[in-house]
């Protein structure tokens, strides 16, 4: 809401009642962030971390400030430090993957997403994101991995259109890849999947006339 005056009044009341509370200090930091006084907020968080080096919430606030400033490399470094202590923190792996993707460091992003898949193999979104990163890498091996994980995402969530489109596009690239020329087994597999994804996409949009025409054009041209 941007009501800094009321927020500051609430903070002062809490600080008066709990003068040594780390939670109240974190609220002070959030207030400083809201006013974009990032240097003061960082100084406050650094002071807290010197006394409580394993305070995860405060460490994550530092990452937030670095992201707000556009300091992606510094945010990545901070997250790596966090994960050295909290290796199973899902939120940090997710955030680190996003930052690596923004830097086009797809191999490192894939590593982060592999950790997420290991932590929760039944979450289709983890497989879907991993497949998208593999697709972006563009090698035969990464495209095969992309095909596998888009397929897994669809198995876990058959209604995921994003995974369906992803699988179709991945197989389309594999089927035209010159490095796979002459590999009959792979060719047959890709053609079968391509036929299935095409029929599924047409079925999804058959009742929406305008969309069905767009999908037909996409299936013909791949664009």
């Amino acid at each position: 809401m941007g009501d800094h005056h009321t927020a500051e009044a609430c903070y002062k009341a809490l600080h008066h009642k709990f003068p040594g509370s780390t939670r109240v200090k974190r609220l002070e930091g959030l207030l400083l962030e809201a006013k974009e006084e990032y240097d003061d907020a960082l100084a406050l968080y650094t002071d807290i971390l010197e006394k409580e080096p394993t305070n995860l919430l405060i460490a994550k606030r530092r990452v937030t400030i670095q992201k707000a400033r556009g300091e992606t490399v510094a945010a990545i470094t901070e997250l790596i430090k966090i994960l050295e202590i909290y290796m199973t923190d899902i939120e940090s792996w997710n955030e680190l993957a996003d930052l690596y993707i923004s830097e086009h460091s797809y191999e490192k992003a894939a590593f982060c997403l592999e950790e997420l898949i290991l932590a929760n193999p039944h979450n289709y979104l983890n497989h879907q994101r991993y497949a998208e990163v593999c697709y972006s890498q563009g090698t035969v091996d990464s495209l095969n991995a992309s095909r596998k994980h888009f397929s897994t995402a669809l198995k876990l969530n058959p209604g995921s259109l994003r995974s369906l489109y992803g699988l179709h596009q991945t197989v389309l690239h594999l089927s035209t890849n010159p490095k796979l020329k002459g590999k009959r087994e792979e060719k047959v597999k890709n053609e079968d999947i391509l036929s299935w994804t095409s029929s599924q996409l047409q079925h999804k949009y058959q009742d929406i006339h305008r969309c069905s025409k767009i999908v037909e054009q996409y299936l013909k041209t791949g664009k």
Side-chain angles (χ1 to χ4, degrees), residues 2 6-7 33 37 40 51 182 203 207 218:
T6 302
E33 287 182 54
E37 296 175 11
D40 291 339
K51 299 169 184 174
H203 177 71
D207 296 329
Y218 163 71

Side-chain angles (χ1 to χ4, degrees), residues 99-107:
L99 290 174
Y100 278 136
I101 290 169
S102 72
E103 292 290 295
H104 306 291
S105 298
Y106 296 121
E107 189 174 346

